[in-house]
């Protein structure tokens, strides 16, 4: 069944290309799909859009309201600036972009804020660890996730809830 196929990529452009190729292959000469077929297309999108969709359905299990916000890079940088200001840290010597990149790197390695606090070495990493904790607290208070959290949280959801993981393994076999 086409509904058992999950097609994910990193960019919206590539996802759009996948969708258009499916329509070209299955549609008529004008690119129109029969209504019965259009309702049964495989999922094609970015990793982030798939994770957001999944978390809107299943996120309550890990403490997220389905109408959560998604912080983009500007929102993330502004949140880090807010935290730096609250901690009376200079924005020039504590670059929000650098700190954001370090937090992003930790999330991409599946290192939570608490874990980062335990492994931080040196003054700067310890400072980043405390900002990471405050940043995650701020996201939670605002019912928000950033792009890195989308993937991180789905992995956490699947690791901690085998029944949900198995459910999606059954749905998306290919």
């Amino acid at each position: 069944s086409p509904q058992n196929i999950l097609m994910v990529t990193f960019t919206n452009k590539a996802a759009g290309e996948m969708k258009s190729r499916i329509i070209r292959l299955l549609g008529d000469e004008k690119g129109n799909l029969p209504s019965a077929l259009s309702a049964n297309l495989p999922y094609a999108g970015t990793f982030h859009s798939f994770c957001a969709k999944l978390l809107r359905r299943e996120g309550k299990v890990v403490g997220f309201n389905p109408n959560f916000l998604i912080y983009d890079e500007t929102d993330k940088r502004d949140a880090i600036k807010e935290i730096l200001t609250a901690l009376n840290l200079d924005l020039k010597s504590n670059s929000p972009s650098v700190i954001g990149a370090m937090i992003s790197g930790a999330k991409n390695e599946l290192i939570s804020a608490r874990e980062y606090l335990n492994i931080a070495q040196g003054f700067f990493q310890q400072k980043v660890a405390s900002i990471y904790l405050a940043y995650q607290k701020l996201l939670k208070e605002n019912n928000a996730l950033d792009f890195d959290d989308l993937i991180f949280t789905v992995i956490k959801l699947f690791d901690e809830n085998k029944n949900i993981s198995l459910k999606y393994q059954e749905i998306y076999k290919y």
Side-chain angles (χ1 to χ4, degrees), residues 5 9 22-24 45 55 63 73 84 86 91 95 112-113 117 123 125 139 150 159 163 170:
I5 300 171
T9 186
I22 291 169
I23 292 169
R24 263 195 322 270
L55 288 171
E73 285 302 311
L84 290 169
L91 294 176
S95 166
S112 72
L117 190 61
F123 179 72
Q125 280 190 355
L139 287 173
L150 293 171
D159 281 347
N163 58 332
E170 277 299 310

Side-chain angles (χ1 to χ4, degrees), residues 44-141:
T46 65
F47 286 97
H48 293 100
S49 66
F50 174 75
C51 289
K53 183 178 176 179
L54 190 146
L55 288 171
R56 294 204 191 279
R57 269 193 237 130
E58 311 286 354
K60 287 181 184 176
V61 175
V62 286
F64 285 96
N65 186 310
N67 64 349
F68 60 83
L69 301 172
I70 300 173
Y71 277 24
D72 64 14
E73 285 302 311
T74 301
D75 297 323
K76 180 179 183 177
R77 191 175 51 254
D78 289 346
I80 292 171
K81 283 181 186 177
E82 181 181 323
I83 292 163
L84 290 169
T85 301
L87 295 173
N88 292 320
L89 294 170
D90 179 50
L91 294 176
K92 289 182 183 175
S93 58
N94 296 286
S95 166
S97 296
V98 170
I99 292 168
M102 290 187 72
I103 292 170
S104 183
K107 289 180 181 185
N108 289 327
E109 294 294 325
L110 303 177
I111 300 169
S112 72
R114 292 252 176 250
E115 292 168 325
Y116 194 83
L117 190 61
N118 293 330
I119 64 170
Q121 296 180 350
F123 179 72
F124 187 67
Q125 280 190 355
Q126 290 171 351
K127 188 184 330 181
V128 170
S130 65
I131 294 165
Y132 185 3
L133 276 171
Y135 176 67
Q136 289 307 115
K137 182 179 181 218
L138 180 70
L139 287 173
K140 188 72 171 167
E141 288 169 356

Side-chain angles (χ1 to χ4, degrees), residues 7-12 15 18-19 43-50:
M7 297 185 299
V8 289
T9 186
F10 285 102
T11 67
N12 288 320
M18 288 190 303
K19 290 174 189 175
Y43 180 85
T46 65
F47 286 97
H48 293 100
S49 66
F50 174 75

